[in-house]
Amino acid sequence: MLKEQELFLNFFKERTRDEDTETAEKLLLQSFADQATGNFNKEDFVALKEQLIPLLKPENVSEVTEAMAHFAAQLP
């Protein structure tokens, strides 16, 4: 895992509802693995985002959405 990915994973987990932390981690780790093999694009990102946003604490949605938008801008 890249340092940036580890930072985002920790950032996201801190903002996830306690009961959903494990699910969020699994989803993110799979996406990191897909990115490492070149099998991750904007469509994959949109699908991932749709799965992750409901796992967040409501007060953290806008902050995380903003961080994810920054990442999405870098995707091919």
Side-chain angles (χ1 to χ4, degrees):
M1 179 181 334
L2 301 174
K3 181 67 174 171
E4 295 84 9
Q5 291 172 332
E6 184 178 353
L7 290 171
F8 184 76
L9 177 63
N10 291 331
F11 167 83
F12 196 91
K13 285 171 51 178
E14 289 171 3
R15 288 153 180 82
T16 303
R17 295 179 303 187
D18 292 339
E19 65 271 17
D20 293 321
T21 302
E22 187 176 319
T23 300
E25 184 171 10
K26 286 179 183 178
L27 289 168
L28 285 168
L29 290 176
Q30 181 59 54
S31 77
F32 297 158
D34 292 343
Q35 290 171 48
T37 61
N39 293 321
F40 193 82
N41 58 35
K42 286 188 180 187
E43 291 81 22
D44 297 320
F45 174 78
V46 170
L48 176 65
K49 183 177 173 183
E50 289 175 0
Q51 292 178 297
L52 290 174
I53 295 300
L55 306 178
L56 293 168
K57 297 173 188 169
E59 65 270 19
N60 296 318
V61 171
S62 63
E63 177 185 24
V64 173
T65 301
E66 186 176 312
M68 292 180 85
H70 175 74
F71 170 75
Q74 301 171 24
L75 287 172

